[in-house]
Amino acid sequence: MSAAHLCDRSPEVDPEELVTSMTPPPRFDRVRFDTYVPNENEPSQAAAVRACREFAERVAAPARAKSGWRRLFGGGDAEPHAPGLYLDGGFGVGKTHLLASLWHTVPGPAKAYGTFVELTHLVGALGFAEAVARLSQHRLLAIDEFELDDPGDTMLVTRLLRELTDAGVFVAATSNTLPDKLGEGRFAAEDFLREIHSMSARFTVVRVDGPDYRHRGLPDAPNPLSDVDLEASAATTPGSTVDGFAELCAHLARLHPSRYGRLVDEVTTVHLRQVEPVADEAVALRVVALVDRLYDRAIPVVVSGKPLSAIFTEEMLLGGYRKKYLRATSRLIALARDAAVHT
C-alpha cells in the first residue's frame, strides 16, 4: 500500500465556507473551562480562567446599544469595560484552550472563531465591506494566534476591529505579544504606532504565565527514522502521507496559508523525509502555519533527517519571529511524540 502525498493536493476553499467553518478546530472541540487545569505554581493561570468566565458572561448578557462602543473610542462617557479580551503569554500555557472554552461557553450561533491568518484571508476573499457585514452579525469574534507581521495587516485589522467593536461585537484574542508591541522587530512599527495603540486600547490584557505544558516532565522528541523506516511506516499507516520536506516547503509556497487546513484534512499521520533546518524566513513562516494546522487536528508527525528540535536555525530563533518558531517547534515535538505512542 503506497501512501498519499500532500504535494499532490491543491485544495480550494469557497469564501462562503470560510464563514461557516469559523469554529474551534478538532483538537479543541471538547475543551471547556472546567477541563483547563491551572498550574498551582502559576497563579496567573487561575486568574485567567476567572477573567475568561467573566468575559463570557458579559458577551452573553443582553446587547448594549451600538452607540456605547462609539462612546468608548469616540468621546463622551467611557464604558466600564473594553469590548476586547487579550490573552498574552508564552506558548504552551493553554491560551488556545481558554479561547476555545470561551467560544463554547457563549450561547447561540452568533459567534465566530478563527486564526489571525484565516481572518485576514476571509477579508481578502469577501472584501472588507462584506466581511464587516457578516462578522457584525456575531456577538463574539475569537481570534487565535493574533499577530501583525506587516504594515498592511496592521491597517486592515485596526480598521476591522474598529468597525466590529463599534457594531457591538466582542473580540477575544490570544497572542505571544502584548498588543502595543505587535509588529515590533518585524517592520517599521513606529510608523504605525497610532494604529497599533488605537487597537490595543480596545482590549483588556490578561497575562497567562507558566512553562510549556506540552513538555512538562516528558521525554525529548523521538529520534528521526531512517528513510527506509519512514517509507515503511507511511506504507503501513492507513490515511497517512509521505513527502520530501524540501518538496513540501516548495508546494506550500503555491498555496495560501488559509488552505493548509484543507490540505491535511482526513490525513492520519504526516511523514516528512529528510527534514533540514529552515533558514529562509518566508519558508519558515509557511512551516509555522502548517504546523499550527497539524496541531489543531492532532495529526502525528514522523520524520527522517534532522531532529525536529533543530527545524529552525539559530539565526532564525534570534529574529523577530522567535516566539512563533519556538511555538511551532514545541507543537512539532508533541506531534512527533504522539506518532511514537501510536507505533
Side-chain angles (χ1 to χ4, degrees), residues 3 6 9-10 22 33 59 82 84 92 95 109 134 153 193 201 210 220 223 232 283 293 308 318-319 324 333 339:
L6 294 178
R9 301 183 175 192
S10 296
M22 293 189 75
F33 290 131
V59 177
K95 300 188 302 297
R134 295 289 193 94
D153 282 348
L193 281 179
D220 293 335
N223 292 324
V283 175
R293 302 294 74 77
L308 288 172
L318 293 174
K324 280 193 173 187
I333 291 174

PDB file of all heavy atoms in Angstrom, residues 3 6 9-10 22 33 59 82 84 92 95 109 134 153 193 201 210 220 223 232 283 293 308 318-319 324 333 339:
ATOM      1  N   ALA A   3       1.558   5.343   0.283  1.00  0.00           N
ATOM      2  CA  ALA A   3       0.953   6.487   0.960  1.00  0.00           C
ATOM      3  C   ALA A   3       0.696   7.616  -0.031  1.00  0.00           C
ATOM      4  O   ALA A   3       1.338   7.721  -1.074  1.00  0.00           O
ATOM      5  CB  ALA A   3       1.865   6.963   2.083  1.00  0.00           C
ATOM      6  N   LEU A   6       1.062  14.980   0.170  1.00  0.00           N
ATOM      7  CA  LEU A   6       0.482  16.318   0.311  1.00  0.00           C
ATOM      8  C   LEU A   6       0.796  17.178  -0.899  1.00  0.00           C
ATOM      9  O   LEU A   6       0.005  18.047  -1.285  1.00  0.00           O
ATOM     10  CB  LEU A   6       1.011  16.991   1.583  1.00  0.00           C
ATOM     11  CG  LEU A   6       0.602  16.360   2.918  1.00  0.00           C
ATOM     12  CD1 LEU A   6       1.251  17.121   4.072  1.00  0.00           C
ATOM     13  CD2 LEU A   6      -0.911  16.340   3.076  1.00  0.00           C
ATOM     14  N   ARG A   9      -1.817  17.587  -3.596  1.00  0.00           N
ATOM     15  CA  ARG A   9      -3.095  18.209  -3.268  1.00  0.00           C
ATOM     16  C   ARG A   9      -3.026  19.726  -3.475  1.00  0.00           C
ATOM     17  O   ARG A   9      -2.057  20.370  -3.074  1.00  0.00           O
ATOM     18  CB  ARG A   9      -3.472  17.931  -1.809  1.00  0.00           C
ATOM     19  CG  ARG A   9      -3.593  16.450  -1.473  1.00  0.00           C
ATOM     20  CD  ARG A   9      -4.030  16.269  -0.036  1.00  0.00           C
ATOM     21  NE  ARG A   9      -4.264  14.871   0.291  1.00  0.00           N
ATOM     22  CZ  ARG A   9      -4.862  14.456   1.406  1.00  0.00           C
ATOM     23  NH1 ARG A   9      -5.293  15.341   2.284  1.00  0.00           N
ATOM     24  NH2 ARG A   9      -5.026  13.172   1.629  1.00  0.00           N
ATOM     25  N   SER A  10      -4.061  20.272  -4.069  1.00  0.00           N
ATOM     26  CA  SER A  10      -4.194  21.721  -4.232  1.00  0.00           C
ATOM     27  C   SER A  10      -5.616  22.119  -3.869  1.00  0.00           C
ATOM     28  O   SER A  10      -6.454  22.411  -4.736  1.00  0.00           O
ATOM     29  CB  SER A  10      -3.860  22.146  -5.667  1.00  0.00           C
ATOM     30  OG  SER A  10      -2.515  21.879  -5.977  1.00  0.00           O
ATOM     31  N   MET A  22     -15.959  28.857  10.660  1.00  0.00           N
ATOM     32  CA  MET A  22     -15.263  29.589  11.720  1.00  0.00           C
ATOM     33  C   MET A  22     -15.682  29.075  13.099  1.00  0.00           C
ATOM     34  O   MET A  22     -16.464  29.691  13.838  1.00  0.00           O
ATOM     35  CB  MET A  22     -15.512  31.092  11.587  1.00  0.00           C
ATOM     36  CG  MET A  22     -14.873  31.684  10.341  1.00  0.00           C
ATOM     37  SD  MET A  22     -14.920  33.494  10.294  1.00  0.00           S
ATOM     38  CE  MET A  22     -13.650  33.902  11.499  1.00  0.00           C
ATOM     39  N   PHE A  33     -13.833  25.397  30.249  1.00  0.00           N
ATOM     40  CA  PHE A  33     -13.107  25.980  31.372  1.00  0.00           C
ATOM     41  C   PHE A  33     -12.817  24.928  32.442  1.00  0.00           C
ATOM     42  O   PHE A  33     -11.748  24.932  33.058  1.00  0.00           O
ATOM     43  CB  PHE A  33     -13.900  27.138  31.978  1.00  0.00           C
ATOM     44  CG  PHE A  33     -13.977  28.349  31.099  1.00  0.00           C
ATOM     45  CD1 PHE A  33     -15.190  28.966  30.845  1.00  0.00           C
ATOM     46  CD2 PHE A  33     -12.831  28.888  30.525  1.00  0.00           C
ATOM     47  CE1 PHE A  33     -15.262  30.088  30.045  1.00  0.00           C
ATOM     48  CE2 PHE A  33     -12.894  30.016  29.712  1.00  0.00           C
ATOM     49  CZ  PHE A  33     -14.113  30.612  29.474  1.00  0.00           C
ATOM     50  N   VAL A  59     -20.386  38.795  27.344  1.00  0.00           N
ATOM     51  CA  VAL A  59     -20.789  38.566  25.955  1.00  0.00           C
ATOM     52  C   VAL A  59     -22.216  38.030  25.903  1.00  0.00           C
ATOM     53  O   VAL A  59     -22.998  38.393  25.018  1.00  0.00           O
ATOM     54  CB  VAL A  59     -19.824  37.586  25.262  1.00  0.00           C
ATOM     55  CG1 VAL A  59     -20.283  37.302  23.836  1.00  0.00           C
ATOM     56  CG2 VAL A  59     -18.401  38.138  25.253  1.00  0.00           C
ATOM     57  N   ALA A  82     -13.609  47.392  28.284  1.00  0.00           N
ATOM     58  CA  ALA A  82     -13.274  47.346  26.865  1.00  0.00           C
ATOM     59  C   ALA A  82     -14.006  46.178  26.211  1.00  0.00           C
ATOM     60  O   ALA A  82     -14.303  45.182  26.863  1.00  0.00           O
ATOM     61  CB  ALA A  82     -11.767  47.183  26.694  1.00  0.00           C
ATOM     62  N   GLY A  84     -12.846  44.103  24.182  1.00  0.00           N
ATOM     63  CA  GLY A  84     -11.943  43.025  23.807  1.00  0.00           C
ATOM     64  C   GLY A  84     -11.217  42.438  25.000  1.00  0.00           C
ATOM     65  O   GLY A  84     -10.929  43.120  25.982  1.00  0.00           O
ATOM     66  N   GLY A  92       2.343  27.230  24.966  1.00  0.00           N
ATOM     67  CA  GLY A  92       2.158  26.062  25.806  1.00  0.00           C
ATOM     68  C   GLY A  92       1.584  26.329  27.184  1.00  0.00           C
ATOM     69  O   GLY A  92       1.739  25.507  28.087  1.00  0.00           O
ATOM     70  N   LYS A  95      -3.482  29.077  26.284  1.00  0.00           N
ATOM     71  CA  LYS A  95      -4.290  30.220  25.852  1.00  0.00           C
ATOM     72  C   LYS A  95      -5.358  29.816  24.846  1.00  0.00           C
ATOM     73  O   LYS A  95      -6.496  30.291  24.909  1.00  0.00           O
ATOM     74  CB  LYS A  95      -3.387  31.305  25.248  1.00  0.00           C
ATOM     75  CG  LYS A  95      -2.330  31.849  26.188  1.00  0.00           C
ATOM     76  CD  LYS A  95      -1.595  33.043  25.590  1.00  0.00           C
ATOM     77  CE  LYS A  95      -0.908  32.724  24.265  1.00  0.00           C
ATOM     78  NZ  LYS A  95       0.161  31.707  24.408  1.00  0.00           N
ATOM     79  N   PRO A 109     -25.616  30.677  17.997  1.00  0.00           N
ATOM     80  CA  PRO A 109     -24.787  30.557  16.798  1.00  0.00           C
ATOM     81  C   PRO A 109     -24.064  31.844  16.402  1.00  0.00           C
ATOM     82  O   PRO A 109     -23.224  31.833  15.508  1.00  0.00           O
ATOM     83  CB  PRO A 109     -25.808  30.173  15.725  1.00  0.00           C
ATOM     84  CG  PRO A 109     -27.059  30.867  16.160  1.00  0.00           C
ATOM     85  CD  PRO A 109     -27.049  30.823  17.677  1.00  0.00           C
ATOM     86  N   ARG A 134     -20.823  40.588   7.499  1.00  0.00           N
ATOM     87  CA  ARG A 134     -21.023  39.220   8.008  1.00  0.00           C
ATOM     88  C   ARG A 134     -20.645  39.125   9.479  1.00  0.00           C
ATOM     89  O   ARG A 134     -21.398  38.582  10.298  1.00  0.00           O
ATOM     90  CB  ARG A 134     -20.183  38.236   7.198  1.00  0.00           C
ATOM     91  CG  ARG A 134     -20.570  38.106   5.736  1.00  0.00           C
ATOM     92  CD  ARG A 134     -21.906  37.393   5.565  1.00  0.00           C
ATOM     93  NE  ARG A 134     -22.124  37.017   4.190  1.00  0.00           N
ATOM     94  CZ  ARG A 134     -21.815  35.835   3.676  1.00  0.00           C
ATOM     95  NH1 ARG A 134     -21.263  34.902   4.425  1.00  0.00           N
ATOM     96  NH2 ARG A 134     -22.054  35.564   2.401  1.00  0.00           N
ATOM     97  N   ASP A 153      -1.322  44.385   7.215  1.00  0.00           N
ATOM     98  CA  ASP A 153      -2.160  43.736   8.218  1.00  0.00           C
ATOM     99  C   ASP A 153      -2.512  44.692   9.344  1.00  0.00           C
ATOM    100  O   ASP A 153      -3.627  44.660   9.877  1.00  0.00           O
ATOM    101  CB  ASP A 153      -1.443  42.510   8.794  1.00  0.00           C
ATOM    102  CG  ASP A 153      -1.486  41.311   7.864  1.00  0.00           C
ATOM    103  OD1 ASP A 153      -2.259  41.345   6.888  1.00  0.00           O
ATOM    104  OD2 ASP A 153      -0.736  40.348   8.112  1.00  0.00           O
ATOM    105  N   LEU A 193       2.398  53.464  15.015  1.00  0.00           N
ATOM    106  CA  LEU A 193       2.113  53.441  16.449  1.00  0.00           C
ATOM    107  C   LEU A 193       0.693  53.884  16.754  1.00  0.00           C
ATOM    108  O   LEU A 193       0.034  53.321  17.628  1.00  0.00           O
ATOM    109  CB  LEU A 193       3.112  54.328  17.193  1.00  0.00           C
ATOM    110  CG  LEU A 193       4.491  53.709  17.440  1.00  0.00           C
ATOM    111  CD1 LEU A 193       5.386  54.702  18.157  1.00  0.00           C
ATOM    112  CD2 LEU A 193       4.376  52.427  18.247  1.00  0.00           C
ATOM    113  N   ALA A 201      -6.007  49.712  22.703  1.00  0.00           N
ATOM    114  CA  ALA A 201      -6.910  50.332  23.670  1.00  0.00           C
ATOM    115  C   ALA A 201      -8.246  49.613  23.760  1.00  0.00           C
ATOM    116  O   ALA A 201      -8.995  49.794  24.724  1.00  0.00           O
ATOM    117  CB  ALA A 201      -7.134  51.799  23.311  1.00  0.00           C
ATOM    118  N   GLY A 210       3.677  30.702  32.720  1.00  0.00           N
ATOM    119  CA  GLY A 210       3.929  29.299  33.036  1.00  0.00           C
ATOM    120  C   GLY A 210       4.798  28.609  32.010  1.00  0.00           C
ATOM    121  O   GLY A 210       5.026  29.132  30.914  1.00  0.00           O
ATOM    122  N   ASP A 220      12.327  13.828  25.574  1.00  0.00           N
ATOM    123  CA  ASP A 220      12.580  14.592  24.356  1.00  0.00           C
ATOM    124  C   ASP A 220      11.861  13.964  23.171  1.00  0.00           C
ATOM    125  O   ASP A 220      11.314  12.861  23.262  1.00  0.00           O
ATOM    126  CB  ASP A 220      14.080  14.652  24.071  1.00  0.00           C
ATOM    127  CG  ASP A 220      14.818  15.470  25.110  1.00  0.00           C
ATOM    128  OD1 ASP A 220      14.180  16.343  25.736  1.00  0.00           O
ATOM    129  OD2 ASP A 220      16.026  15.217  25.304  1.00  0.00           O
ATOM    130  N   ASN A 223      13.838  10.166  18.114  1.00  0.00           N
ATOM    131  CA  ASN A 223      14.874  10.359  17.106  1.00  0.00           C
ATOM    132  C   ASN A 223      14.279  10.193  15.706  1.00  0.00           C
ATOM    133  O   ASN A 223      13.348   9.406  15.508  1.00  0.00           O
ATOM    134  CB  ASN A 223      16.002   9.345  17.300  1.00  0.00           C
ATOM    135  CG  ASN A 223      16.789   9.597  18.570  1.00  0.00           C
ATOM    136  OD1 ASN A 223      16.994  10.743  18.960  1.00  0.00           O
ATOM    137  ND2 ASN A 223      17.223   8.535  19.219  1.00  0.00           N
ATOM    138  N   ALA A 232       8.442   2.761   5.224  1.00  0.00           N
ATOM    139  CA  ALA A 232       7.710   1.589   5.700  1.00  0.00           C
ATOM    140  C   ALA A 232       6.568   1.998   6.618  1.00  0.00           C
ATOM    141  O   ALA A 232       5.458   1.447   6.551  1.00  0.00           O
ATOM    142  CB  ALA A 232       8.668   0.638   6.431  1.00  0.00           C
ATOM    143  N   VAL A 283       9.873  30.774   4.048  1.00  0.00           N
ATOM    144  CA  VAL A 283       9.632  29.334   4.162  1.00  0.00           C
ATOM    145  C   VAL A 283       9.280  28.972   5.601  1.00  0.00           C
ATOM    146  O   VAL A 283       8.355  28.201   5.870  1.00  0.00           O
ATOM    147  CB  VAL A 283      10.860  28.536   3.691  1.00  0.00           C
ATOM    148  CG1 VAL A 283      10.650  27.038   3.914  1.00  0.00           C
ATOM    149  CG2 VAL A 283      11.156  28.819   2.223  1.00  0.00           C
ATOM    150  N   ARG A 293      -1.833  24.041  11.833  1.00  0.00           N
ATOM    151  CA  ARG A 293      -2.999  23.297  11.345  1.00  0.00           C
ATOM    152  C   ARG A 293      -2.878  21.807  11.689  1.00  0.00           C
ATOM    153  O   ARG A 293      -3.882  21.159  11.986  1.00  0.00           O
ATOM    154  CB  ARG A 293      -3.145  23.479   9.832  1.00  0.00           C
ATOM    155  CG  ARG A 293      -3.283  24.928   9.369  1.00  0.00           C
ATOM    156  CD  ARG A 293      -4.558  25.599   9.838  1.00  0.00           C
ATOM    157  NE  ARG A 293      -4.576  25.952  11.245  1.00  0.00           N
ATOM    158  CZ  ARG A 293      -3.948  27.003  11.764  1.00  0.00           C
ATOM    159  NH1 ARG A 293      -3.226  27.791  11.016  1.00  0.00           N
ATOM    160  NH2 ARG A 293      -4.045  27.249  13.073  1.00  0.00           N
ATOM    161  N   LEU A 308      13.530  17.322  14.945  1.00  0.00           N
ATOM    162  CA  LEU A 308      12.573  18.431  14.872  1.00  0.00           C
ATOM    163  C   LEU A 308      12.967  19.589  15.791  1.00  0.00           C
ATOM    164  O   LEU A 308      12.573  20.728  15.554  1.00  0.00           O
ATOM    165  CB  LEU A 308      11.175  17.934  15.218  1.00  0.00           C
ATOM    166  CG  LEU A 308      10.523  17.051  14.140  1.00  0.00           C
ATOM    167  CD1 LEU A 308       9.235  16.450  14.655  1.00  0.00           C
ATOM    168  CD2 LEU A 308      10.272  17.868  12.873  1.00  0.00           C
ATOM    169  N   LEU A 318      16.817  33.917  16.675  1.00  0.00           N
ATOM    170  CA  LEU A 318      17.241  35.189  17.257  1.00  0.00           C
ATOM    171  C   LEU A 318      16.497  36.376  16.647  1.00  0.00           C
ATOM    172  O   LEU A 318      16.696  37.511  17.071  1.00  0.00           O
ATOM    173  CB  LEU A 318      18.749  35.384  17.065  1.00  0.00           C
ATOM    174  CG  LEU A 318      19.656  34.417  17.832  1.00  0.00           C
ATOM    175  CD1 LEU A 318      21.112  34.626  17.439  1.00  0.00           C
ATOM    176  CD2 LEU A 318      19.469  34.583  19.335  1.00  0.00           C
ATOM    177  N   GLY A 319      15.654  36.125  15.652  1.00  0.00           N
ATOM    178  CA  GLY A 319      14.973  37.187  14.938  1.00  0.00           C
ATOM    179  C   GLY A 319      13.633  37.573  15.540  1.00  0.00           C
ATOM    180  O   GLY A 319      13.240  37.118  16.622  1.00  0.00           O
ATOM    181  N   LYS A 324       7.163  32.639  17.453  1.00  0.00           N
ATOM    182  CA  LYS A 324       6.427  31.771  16.533  1.00  0.00           C
ATOM    183  C   LYS A 324       7.190  30.479  16.291  1.00  0.00           C
ATOM    184  O   LYS A 324       6.614  29.383  16.264  1.00  0.00           O
ATOM    185  CB  LYS A 324       6.192  32.490  15.198  1.00  0.00           C
ATOM    186  CG  LYS A 324       5.047  33.472  15.203  1.00  0.00           C
ATOM    187  CD  LYS A 324       4.709  33.881  13.775  1.00  0.00           C
ATOM    188  CE  LYS A 324       3.454  34.737  13.748  1.00  0.00           C
ATOM    189  NZ  LYS A 324       2.997  35.013  12.383  1.00  0.00           N
ATOM    190  N   ILE A 333       7.274  18.763  18.219  1.00  0.00           N
ATOM    191  CA  ILE A 333       7.805  17.723  19.098  1.00  0.00           C
ATOM    192  C   ILE A 333       6.666  16.948  19.754  1.00  0.00           C
ATOM    193  O   ILE A 333       6.722  15.720  19.882  1.00  0.00           O
ATOM    194  CB  ILE A 333       8.750  18.345  20.141  1.00  0.00           C
ATOM    195  CG1 ILE A 333      10.021  18.853  19.453  1.00  0.00           C
ATOM    196  CG2 ILE A 333       9.094  17.344  21.233  1.00  0.00           C
ATOM    197  CD1 ILE A 333      10.956  19.619  20.365  1.00  0.00           C
ATOM    198  N   ALA A 339       3.114  10.399  17.489  1.00  0.00           N
ATOM    199  CA  ALA A 339       3.352   9.365  16.485  1.00  0.00           C
ATOM    200  C   ALA A 339       4.064   8.173  17.092  1.00  0.00           C
ATOM    201  O   ALA A 339       3.748   7.014  16.794  1.00  0.00           O
ATOM    202  CB  ALA A 339       4.175   9.933  15.322  1.00  0.00           C
TER     203      ALA A 339
END
